[in-house]
């Protein structure tokens, strides 16, 4: 059902395709931030290059890239525009689900659709509800039709998508339902009001009597009890965003200091770039970017092995979940410190709105609060001390079981 970790394409070949696109995307990052312009054009450039087909096997028209290669490119894309990898986050898990599915017409249909450029967004979380076992979005029968009704929030990336993966309830059963983004009864709003990651289109989506074909019901939805690769994978996308933010912060800070001639009367050198204190900050920024990148790729290597083996072994899934949680606790602290420390490089000039260097900290702070680290830290400690099962993606109401050590 899955392909070997050995990739069908090299890093150099992937860079030849995507590096020029990433550079083009990066060129407009500050202007988009200032204007709060959603990156529709930039998403279209990625679609034209079939970026969403990186993990689709070659036999279905994709690139056949490894998980490591995917996350390597997600870090680079995040350095160009941190909103984009987050906006595509659920797309990647959708592709993995299809890769892991039993061979058949439906699996081939969706893998080929993605290979041709289709993107999948999400509508999982609901406003004011919380736990995944309390979905108010319903799939109900109306004669010979199935109708979807509900309201979702944090519909990240769905405004850029062709299809939306919706978490719904049908008679007490949690389901994943795939809806066309332009289907009648679907209304999307760009009303995400966070101070960071402003361009992810993480707003409200309304579903009113949306007709759902039976073959668009994909099976058990997000939050079903049991171990899964999904929570580690989805968390790692956020960490790739953080690693990319660190890389861009280092680059922007280095370029700014290199061109700067003004310094303080009590500085250690006549030029900022020659000041050992300034050099030290740049060195720390560089170390943070390197460490975040290496950490993300280390977890990606684990996920490569887990997914190649079919993502069924409980021990393998627990190892991936633990690694992603440990990486989260390390990467968040490193990147938040780095994106704060860069302001030590200059006086009032460095907080100029024209530079928008504050976006790096704001974006990092916003990404870092997904799946709050305080809960992950406790879960990791409890797991290591007492053998308590890691939480994966099921609801807080599910009973935690202990693993045999």
């Amino acid at each position: 059902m899955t392909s070997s970790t050995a990739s069908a394409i090299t890093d150099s070949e992937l860079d030849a395709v995507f590096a020029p696109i990433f550079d083009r995307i990066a060129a407009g990052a500050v202007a988009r931030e200032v204007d709060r312009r959603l990156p529709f054009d930039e998403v279209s450039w990625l679609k034209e290059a079939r970026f969403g087909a990186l993990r689709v096997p070659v036999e279905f028209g994709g690139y056949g890239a490894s998980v490591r290669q995917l996350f390597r490119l997600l870090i680079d894309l995040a350095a160009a525009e941190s909103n984009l990898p987050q906006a595509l986050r659920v797309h990647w898990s959708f592709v993995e689900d299809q890769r892991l599915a039993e061979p058949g017409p439906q699996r081939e249909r969706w893998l080929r659709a993605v290979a041709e450029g289709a993107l999948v967004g999400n509508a999982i979380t609901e406003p004011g509800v919380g736990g995944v076992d309390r979905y108010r979005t319903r799939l109900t029968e109306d004669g010979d039709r199935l109708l979807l009704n509900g309201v979702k929030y944090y519909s990240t990336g769905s405004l850029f998508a062709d299809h939306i993966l919706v978490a719904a309830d049908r008679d007490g059963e949690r389901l994943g339902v795939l809806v066309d983004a332009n289907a009648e009864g679907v209304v999307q709003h760009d009303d995400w009001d966070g101070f960071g990651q402003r361009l992810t289109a993480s707003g409200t989506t309304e579903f009113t009597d949306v007709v759902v074909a039976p073959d668009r019901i994909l099976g058990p939805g997000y939050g079903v009890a049991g171990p899964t690769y999904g929570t580690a994978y989805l968390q790692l996308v956020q960490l790739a965003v953080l690693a990319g933010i660190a890389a861009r912060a280092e680059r922007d800070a280095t370029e700014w200091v290199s061109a700067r001639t003004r310094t303080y009367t009590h500085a250690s050198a006549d030029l900022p770039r020659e000041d050992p204190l300034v050099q030290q900050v740049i060195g720390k920024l560089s170390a943070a970017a390197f460490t975040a990148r290496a950490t993300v790729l280390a977890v990606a290597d684990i996920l490569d092995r887990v997914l190649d083996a079919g993502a069924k072994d409980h021990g393998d899934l627990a190892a991936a979940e633990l690694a992603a949680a440990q990486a989260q606790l390390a990467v968040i602290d490193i990147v938040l410190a780095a994106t704060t420390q860069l302001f030590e490089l200059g006086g009032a000039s460095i907080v100029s709105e024209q530079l928008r260097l504050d976006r790096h900290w704001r974006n990092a702070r916003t990404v870092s609060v997904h799946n709050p680290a305080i809960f992950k830290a406790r879960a990791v400690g409890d797991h290591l001390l007492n053998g308590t099962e890691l939480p994966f993606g099921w609801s807080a109401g599910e009973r935690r079981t202990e693993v045999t050590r």
Side-chain angles (χ1 to χ4, degrees):
M1 289 182 290
T2 59
S3 59
S4 169
T5 301
S7 175
I9 193 168
T10 67
D11 288 348
S12 295
E13 289 170 329
L14 289 170
D15 288 342
V17 174
F18 295 109
I21 299 173
F22 295 168
D23 289 343
R24 189 179 173 195
I25 290 171
V30 173
R32 285 191 298 274
E33 177 74 16
V34 171
D35 298 336
R36 202 186 184 285
R37 179 180 65 79
L38 292 180
F40 287 106
D41 290 341
E42 291 73 14
V43 171
S44 72
W45 303 340
L46 294 172
K47 287 186 67 172
E48 288 169 7
R50 301 187 305 115
F51 187 67
L54 280 167
R55 285 285 289 157
V56 174
V58 173
E59 59 264 34
F60 298 113
Y63 286 98
S66 67
V67 176
R68 180 186 178 89
Q69 288 178 313
L70 167 63
F71 278 90
R72 178 179 169 274
L73 289 174
L74 289 179
I75 293 170
D76 291 346
L77 176 58
E81 173 57 84
S82 68
N83 292 277
L84 286 174
Q86 184 180 357
L88 298 174
R89 187 167 72 128
V90 169
H91 173 86
W92 305 115
S93 64
F94 172 80
V95 173
E96 297 296 346
D97 284 345
Q98 304 314 306
R99 291 180 77 255
L100 291 168
E102 292 296 330
Q106 182 161 316
R107 175 178 183 262
E108 180 172 350
R109 169 192 180 185
W110 290 115
L111 287 174
R112 291 196 180 280
V114 170
E116 293 170 2
L119 294 176
V120 177
N122 92 96
I124 295 172
T125 305
E126 302 194 2
V129 176
V132 295
D133 55 348
R134 297 192 294 275
Y135 290 142
R136 293 181 296 205
T137 299
R138 297 283 188 267
L139 188 65
T140 57
E141 293 185 7
D142 178 51
D144 60 353
R145 302 187 305 169
L146 292 172
L147 300 181
L148 182 70
N149 285 276
V151 179
K152 297 288 188 176
Y153 195 49
Y154 302 128
S155 306
T156 305
S158 289
L159 278 169
F160 309 127
D162 302 287
H163 310 288
I164 304 172
L165 183 60
V166 186
D169 178 281
R170 182 175 67 175
D171 298 327
E173 181 184 12
R174 304 172 204 167
L175 296 172
V177 178
L178 202 61
V179 173
D180 292 341
N182 62 357
E184 185 176 353
V186 177
V187 178
Q188 299 186 71
H189 306 275
D190 178 29
D191 56 357
W192 162 241
D193 64 352
F195 63 62
Q197 294 296 94
R198 293 170 172 172
L199 308 181
T200 54
S202 298
T204 302
T205 305
E206 302 174 54
F207 302 93
T208 305
D209 289 337
V210 179
V211 178
V212 177
D215 65 355
R216 292 297 189 92
I217 300 174
L218 303 182
Y222 180 82
V224 173
T228 173
Y229 81 92
T231 46
Y233 196 102
L234 291 168
Q235 183 65 66
L236 196 62
V237 176
Q238 305 291 44
L239 300 186
V241 173
L242 287 167
I245 290 171
R248 176 55 60 179
E250 178 205 349
R251 201 171 310 168
D252 287 352
T254 301
E255 290 177 357
W256 187 78
V257 170
S258 297
R260 186 170 168 80
T261 58
R262 185 170 180 267
T263 188
Y264 298 92
T265 56
H266 54 284
S268 303
D270 292 335
L271 291 173
R273 69 176 180 271
E274 297 173 352
D275 193 309
L277 298 178
V278 172
Q279 293 168 355
Q280 177 177 308
V281 173
I282 294 295
K284 289 183 176 180
L285 284 170
S286 176
F290 172 84
T291 303
R293 183 185 186 90
T295 302
V296 169
L297 295 181
V299 181
D301 285 339
I302 295 172
L303 282 167
D304 254 323
R305 294 192 294 271
V306 169
L307 289 163
D308 279 352
K312 294 180 178 178
D313 183 82
H314 192 153
D316 287 347
L317 294 171
E321 185 71 12
L322 178 61
Q326 291 168 327
Q328 178 185 0
L329 297 176
V331 169
I332 287 174
D333 287 349
I334 291 169
V335 176
L336 286 180
T339 53
T340 299
Q341 200 168 36
L342 71 84
F343 293 101
E344 300 296 333
L345 295 170
S349 301
I350 203 169
V351 299
S352 167
E353 286 278 10
Q354 293 181 340
L355 296 175
R356 289 288 169 124
L357 292 177
D358 63 301
R359 80 184 190 279
H360 298 316
W361 181 88
R362 288 188 290 100
N363 289 339
R365 181 71 273 184
T366 300
V367 171
S368 69
V369 297
H370 291 70
N371 312 311
I374 57 170
F375 299 116
K376 283 291 181 69
R378 186 215 60 78
V380 169
D382 193 14
H383 173 74
L384 295 176
L385 288 169
N386 304 308
T388 304
E389 188 79 81
L390 290 163
F392 291 98
W394 61 79
S395 77
E398 302 282 357
R399 183 176 68 87
R400 301 289 191 261
T401 59
E402 294 191 351
V403 296
T404 302
R405 302 189 65 155

